């Protein structure tokens, strides 16, 4: 006896063979038991009975969507800087006037936990309304021990308050705080020796920003070594603004993912594929910053690299609050196929977070489902500004 069965639906299992990866099943059914998927297949083959039946009225069922790279907890916003840039101000001018990331740092440090929670909650709920059942949330706007931990605690509380799984990532190595004496080297050592140990139990992973304006490969390696010593997996903001070998660095450290990758070289991408590191593509940042340089999707395909897709929701470079919009941006800006884009917010997004129990409609995995009123899966990538999600189930509930 199943706990619940979903009928009168079409399935995109994300568990198909390479030639048909969406794993489409017309007139399919999904059955759940104890929060897990117990059976998936054509409705005509459904075995047994269920305590409850859900009539999906012809909707498409996908695995619950996964936003695997967000910074959705932060204080204030930077809409004023957006206006300044439209009027001709440069990033350097804005930064010299006290803007940029450090304006978000000041606002986040000053905000109470309640204020951060109250401002982040609608952003998370907006993702949930689109079918998101798992979301990663990074710290990185505290840049000091207590503020970084405050952000992680708020992220944890969000996951406790809503029916969504929140995965937390410590991004204390996001930038060098201007009030920290000693520069990047000293701050990276502080992150490694003080902040990472204090984050154990609050962070599920550790991230860093390896770039000329942030941390060098050697400093990033120091942070990664501390993370691995603490038993935490790592990921990397890599090769966004220049090629510092971030893709290869992430691969060498067995990173779950390397994210951005606009300037990554082909050798680094091949190293990622060999290491099992997922490429997380962030078209919202490319669009918002009007970047001419795009990730080398062709090289990623040649390497057999798994590609995930995410909002990068943050107040500075990607104030993107819609994962569905990223599907269209990934296809139009980066020329992803529909299959690549949809795998990027399900199966491959799960891999980018090191989660093996979701991202596909497969027996034994979590019964996280998203229902959409569409005629075919490609419509999720096609429509702009439209949310066809009609239902969402987390752990079968």
């Amino acid at each position: 006896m199943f706990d619940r069965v979903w009928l009168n639906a079409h399935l995109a299992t994300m568990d198909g063979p390479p030639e048909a990866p969406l794993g489409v099943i017309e007139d399919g059914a999904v059955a759940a038991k104890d929060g897990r998927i117990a059976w998936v297949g054509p409705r005509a083959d459904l075995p047994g009975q269920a305590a409850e039946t859900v009539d999906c009225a012809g909707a498409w069922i996908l695995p619950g969507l996964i936003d695997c790279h967000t910074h959705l907890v932060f204080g204030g916003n930077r809409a004023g800087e957006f206006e300044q840039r439209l009027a001709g101000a440069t990033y350097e001018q804005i930064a010299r006037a006290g803007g940029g990331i450090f304006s978000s740092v000041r606002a986040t440090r000053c905000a109470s936990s309640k204020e951060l929670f109250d401002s982040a909650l609608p952003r998370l709920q907006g993702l949930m309304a689109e079918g998101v059942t798992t979301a990663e949330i990074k710290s990185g706007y505290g840049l000091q021990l207590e503020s970084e931990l405050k952000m992680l605690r708020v992220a944890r509380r969000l996951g406790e308050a809503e029916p969504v799984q929140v995965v937390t990532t410590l991004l204390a190595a996001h930038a060098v705080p201007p009030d920290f004496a000693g520069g990047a080297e000293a701050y990276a050592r502080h992150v490694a020796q003080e902040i990472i140990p204090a984050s154990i139990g609050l962070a599920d992973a550790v991230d860093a920003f390896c770039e000329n304006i942030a941390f060098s490969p050697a400093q990033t390696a120091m942070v990664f070594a501390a993370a691995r010593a603490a038993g935490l997996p790592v990921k990397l903001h890599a090769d966004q603004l220049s090629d510092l070998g971030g893709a290869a660095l992430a691969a060498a450290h067995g990173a779950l993912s390397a994210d951005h990758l606009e300037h990554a070289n082909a050798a680094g991408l091949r190293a990622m594929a060999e290491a099992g590191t997922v490429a997380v593509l962030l078209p919202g940042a490319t669009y918002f910053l009007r970047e001419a340089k795009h990730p080398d999707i062709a090289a990623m395909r040649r390497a057999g690299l798994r590609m995930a897709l995410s909002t990068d929701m943050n107040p500075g470079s990607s104030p993107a609050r819609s994962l569905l919009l990223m599907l269209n941006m990934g296809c139009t800006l980066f020329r992803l196929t529909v299959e690549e884009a949809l795998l990027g917010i399900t199966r491959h997004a799960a891999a980018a977070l090191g989660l093996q129990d979701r991202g596909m409609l497969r027996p034994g995995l979590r019964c996280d489902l998203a229902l959409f009123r569409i005629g075919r899966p490609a419509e999720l990538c096609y429509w702009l500004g439209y949310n066809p999600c009609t239902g969402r189930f987390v752990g079968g509930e």
Side-chain angles (χ1 to χ4, degrees):
M1 173 71 75
F2 301 125
D3 295 333
R4 183 177 284 119
V5 63
W6 289 261
L7 299 172
N8 193 12
H10 309 298
L11 314 180
T13 67
M14 303 298 151
D15 194 21
E19 63 272 16
L22 297 189
V24 168
I25 301 175
E26 301 276 0
D27 193 15
V30 178
K33 180 71 174 178
D34 298 327
R36 298 275 170 173
I37 297 173
W39 186 88
V40 177
R43 177 168 60 166
D45 297 339
L46 178 66
Q49 302 295 316
E52 180 182 347
T53 298
V54 179
D55 185 346
C56 300
W60 280 81
I61 300 178
L62 273 70
L65 307 188
I66 300 170
D67 197 349
C68 64
H69 181 131
T70 86
H71 307 248
L72 68 78
V73 172
F74 54 84
N77 66 61
R78 281 145 68 182
E81 295 179 17
F82 178 64
E83 290 184 284
Q84 293 174 42
R85 289 199 303 275
L86 292 176
T90 66
Y91 279 103
E92 182 178 1
Q93 290 169 334
I94 291 171
R96 286 181 176 175
I101 186 174
F102 298 120
S103 65
S104 293
V105 170
R106 288 191 298 273
T108 302
R109 287 179 178 180
C110 291
S112 68
S113 294
K114 183 180 187 304
E115 289 169 333
L116 290 176
F117 179 91
D118 290 346
S119 64
L121 184 59
R123 296 191 277 265
L124 180 60
Q125 290 172 332
L127 293 176
M128 294 166 58
E130 292 188 336
V132 170
T133 55
T134 301
E136 186 247 24
I137 301 178
K138 303 180 189 293
S139 66
Y141 292 118
L143 304 187
Q144 59 182 202
L145 177 59
E146 285 308 316
S147 295
E148 287 291 303
L149 298 184
K150 176 176 67 174
M151 293 184 70
L152 293 174
R153 292 189 187 102
V154 169
R156 289 280 199 217
R157 281 185 54 209
L158 288 165
E160 294 164 358
E162 294 292 325
V164 62
Q165 179 153 2
V166 168
V167 178
T168 56
T169 298
L170 176 72
L171 182 57
H174 193 190
V176 182
D179 55 354
F180 190 91
E185 182 75 17
Y187 180 67
R189 187 175 300 108
H190 174 64
V191 171
Q193 297 178 354
E194 305 294 335
I195 300 182
I196 288 176
S199 74
I200 296 174
L202 287 175
D204 297 312
V206 171
D207 198 348
F209 186 22
C210 183
E211 193 54 73
N212 288 314
I213 62 172
F215 300 95
S216 70
Q219 292 158 356
T220 300
M222 182 197 311
V223 171
F224 279 2
R228 300 306 294 268
L232 293 170
V234 299
K235 55 186 67 177
L236 186 64
H237 284 61
D239 301 330
Q240 179 184 8
L241 306 176
S242 62
D243 182 5
L244 284 187
L249 178 67
H253 287 269
L256 293 173
S257 72
D259 305 28
H260 285 292
L261 299 170
E262 285 85 343
H263 292 263
N265 60 64
L269 297 176
R270 289 194 298 271
M272 284 176 57
E274 292 169 2
T277 299
V278 178
V280 177
L281 306 176
L282 305 170
T286 300
Y287 168 81
F288 194 72
L289 297 177
R290 296 190 294 178
E291 294 286 354
K293 180 70 171 175
H294 293 180
D296 191 344
I297 303 301
M300 293 182 185
R301 289 173 179 147
R302 287 193 298 270
L305 188 57
R306 291 175 295 176
M307 295 178 285
L309 195 60
S310 187
T311 61
D312 192 19
M313 186 192 301
N314 75 75
S317 62
S318 184
R321 297 176 62 160
S322 169
L323 186 59
L324 295 180
L325 180 59
M326 296 305 102
L327 288 173
N328 183 276
M329 285 190 176
C331 293
T332 56
L333 291 178
F334 296 164
R335 310 307 294 170
L336 297 181
T337 66
V338 165
E339 290 81 6
E340 288 169 337
L342 291 174
L343 288 168
I345 62 169
T346 53
R347 182 174 182 167
H348 294 165
L353 296 177
L355 300 175
Q356 300 178 0
D357 63 347
R358 68 201 69 189
M360 295 175 284
L361 302 182
R362 175 190 290 179
L365 301 191
R366 280 174 56 96
C367 190
D368 292 350
L369 311 177
L371 278 62
F372 297 97
R373 180 70 57 210
I374 51 177
R376 54 187 296 185
E379 290 185 32
L380 293 175
C381 303
Y382 167 72
W383 292 110
L384 288 168
Y386 171 57
N387 178 13
C389 183
T390 61
R392 199 182 65 102
F393 294 84
V394 181
E397 300 293 332

